[in-house]
Amino acid sequence: MSTKPQYHPEAIKNVNDAVYTIDLSGKFTSVNPAGVQLTGYTIDEFLQISIAHIVAPEYMELVKQKMQEKLKKDLPTVYEIEIVTKDGKHVPVEISSRALLEKGKPIGILGVARDISERKLLERQKEIFFSLITHEIKNPLSSIKAFAELLKKYHEKTNETKPLHLASMIDEQVDKLTVLVNDFLDISRMNAGKFTLTPKRFDLKELLEKIIATYNKVSAKQRIKLQAEEQYVVDADENRIGQVVTNLLSNAVKYSPKDSSIRVSIIKEKKHVTVRVADKGPGIPKANQQNIFELFYRLTNTQQDQIKGHGLGLYICKQIITGHKGEIGVESNTKGTTFYFSLPLS
Ligand code: ADP
């Protein structure tokens, strides 16, 4: 009895993807009805042509290279190209292929071409949407922020408290909106696999001092204290680590009572350095602790429920820290919450 899997010819006839075989010169030797439908060539016409007739010229080099690789080593290959149909239309397709062997020797290639027009259109729409957000929302936001800051400076000088207060409020709202737009863009990049980190060497203590000083200047709600003894040099994306720290601090400020203190500490271990942000807030119930790093997750039916948020921040923090091969977590009880993250030391 044969041990090879047997496929019913009807299965290949009825699939939605184009299934074809070519010989070593690239000439078609068979094609299923979906291939005929995709390209507009009849089966007879197909058997007269080679892939060079169908592959869009700008992709021909790539196809040749993939074919050679395939014939040398038959590992599963998936790649995207464009084909040209009989009436001249360009169609994006995803190709998966395998070598056809006879007595162990390659005699051609079996390929499957999937029409990915819809996916490509969606990707294009997404790109346009992101660039719209980036340019049409972020740029005006930076201008509004610059004007609000100018107004603040002017009224600080003239000692006019009411307009100063109004300008500060505009500034604060613009900051909130900017964080939201940036979070949205980050998540979209993460989902599209386009989120990149740019590591460089820096001192974690210096970064924390800078962020905490800014916080203590603008937030009168709680006092943030830093406990750090020495330099802690890491190779990481400084802006992104700053974003994590800012996020954890803004949560600590947001979710803990006025006048309570927030303590930030850095602890050096053998190969890691750990940053801890501890607040004296109401805590997070044990059952929810593992969910809070999920996208859009927020606690409900608690005091936190009354505080505005979108459940984006901790998800982004987790992606940034795991992207650095670090760890992020939480310890919490009814007396307070400590978020921590660790990074490998340089
Ligand atoms: P957001 O704060 O915008 O809702 P996050 O992803 O930063 O989004 O946080 C997710 C949820 O985790 C919050 O909605 C809140 O319920 C809970 N949380 C985060 N930080 C704290 C904290 N320091 N103390 C108590 N709960 C917190």
Side-chain angles (χ1 to χ4, degrees):
M1 224 172 74
S2 166
T3 52
K4 278 186 185 168
Q6 298 291 318
Y7 299 109
H8 198 284
E10 284 298 313
I12 290 182
K13 237 179 171 179
N14 291 320
V15 290
N16 289 329
D17 295 336
V19 183
Y20 58 88
T21 51
I22 50 175
D23 64 17
L24 292 177
S25 71
K27 260 187 100 216
F28 284 100
T29 45
S30 76
V31 67
N32 71 341
V36 169
Q37 206 183 359
L38 177 69
T39 59
Y41 288 103
T42 63
I43 293 200
D44 287 342
E45 284 170 332
F46 246 109
L47 301 179
Q48 304 297 319
I49 57 176
S50 73
I51 48 163
H53 283 88
I54 286 200
V55 174
E58 61 270 35
Y59 289 96
M60 208 45 222
E61 263 318 298
L62 173 73
V63 172
K64 275 190 200 156
Q65 182 203 329
K66 294 283 177 192
M67 274 176 67
Q68 268 158 16
E69 280 172 21
K70 177 108 311 228
L71 294 172
K72 253 193 235 153
K73 208 173 190 187
D74 187 23
L75 296 172
T77 318
V78 181
Y79 57 101
E80 290 175 11
I81 60 163
E82 268 181 27
I83 57 160
V84 187
T85 62
K86 194 178 172 186
D87 56 8
K89 209 173 115 204
H90 280 238
V91 181
V93 290
E94 183 186 86
I95 304 283
S96 358
S97 58
R98 303 284 336 218
L100 281 174
L101 303 176
E102 206 173 78
K103 292 186 188 139
K105 283 210 172 119
I107 54 154
I109 284 173
L110 166 76
V112 178
R114 171 168 296 178
D115 183 348
I116 51 169
S117 312
E118 257 178 52
R119 196 181 85 200
K120 285 283 164 196
L121 184 68
L122 273 178
E123 279 174 14
R124 183 81 198 106
Q125 283 170 344
K126 250 193 195 164
E127 270 168 30
I128 293 173
F129 182 60
F130 294 146
S131 100
L132 221 121
I133 291 197
T134 314
H135 298 108
E136 308 304 321
I137 299 182
K138 276 185 84 173
N139 292 350
L141 274 182
S142 332
S143 307
I144 300 171
K145 179 151 180 77
F147 295 141
E149 277 171 352
L150 264 178
L151 272 177
K152 264 168 66 181
K153 278 204 185 110
Y154 174 77
H155 293 298
E156 268 162 12
K157 271 193 200 144
T158 56
N159 265 336
E160 293 175 77
T161 49
K162 197 163 178 199
L164 175 61
H165 175 66
L166 291 176
S168 303
M169 271 170 54
I170 298 176
D171 196 26
E172 215 176 276
Q173 294 303 320
V174 171
D175 282 347
K176 278 191 187 159
L177 202 52
T178 309
V179 169
L180 189 61
V181 170
N182 284 338
D183 280 358
F184 173 78
L185 285 175
D186 280 348
I187 285 172
S188 309
R189 280 190 204 109
M190 284 166 182
N191 288 345
K194 286 183 182 159
F195 185 75
T196 48
L197 296 168
T198 322
K200 73 174 190 13
R201 194 156 286 196
F202 69 93
D203 175 17
L204 203 51
K205 184 183 171 195
E206 225 173 84
L207 175 72
L208 287 175
E209 279 171 345
K210 248 192 280 171
I211 297 174
I212 292 173
T214 317
Y215 250 99
N216 282 334
K217 218 165 33 179
V218 293
S219 155
K221 201 178 156 216
Q222 292 102 334
R223 194 93 211 129
I224 303 168
K225 284 183 212 133
L226 174 68
Q227 242 177 22
E229 264 130 45
E230 44 179 319
Q231 278 196 330
Y232 304 88
V233 179
V234 289
D235 283 308
D237 187 321
E238 191 170 359
N239 285 334
R240 293 297 182 184
I241 298 301
Q243 187 181 348
V244 173
V245 175
T246 307
N247 232 310
L248 297 183
L249 276 179
S250 87
N251 277 351
V253 169
K254 212 160 70 164
Y255 296 109
S256 61
K258 197 171 181 288
D259 296 331
S260 63
S261 64
I262 293 164
R263 212 185 51 208
V264 181
S265 52
I266 318 181
I267 303 136
K268 200 171 182 172
E269 282 144 280
K270 249 190 194 159
K271 288 184 177 161
H272 287 87
V273 58
T274 303
V275 175
R276 296 172 68 86
V277 178
D279 67 49
K280 296 200 172 123
I284 301 166
K286 245 212 149 47
N288 305 100
Q289 286 178 16
Q290 62 184 35
N291 301 108
I292 52 172
F293 294 98
E294 288 166 13
L295 189 55
F296 302 127
Y297 192 87
R298 303 202 72 223
L299 295 192
T300 46
N301 302 324
T302 59
Q303 283 155 279
Q304 281 109 301
D305 209 12
Q306 314 298 319
I307 302 166
K308 284 212 173 98
H310 301 91
L312 306 178
L314 288 178
Y315 173 81
I316 295 176
C317 290
K318 180 153 187 173
Q319 305 304 311
I320 294 175
I321 297 300
T322 48
H324 281 92
K325 299 193 167 59
E327 264 181 51
I328 186 163
V330 65
E331 291 160 4
S332 186
N333 58 39
T334 48
K335 289 191 181 122
T337 301
T338 300
F339 277 94
Y340 60 86
F341 68 86
S342 62
L343 289 174
L345 272 166
S346 282

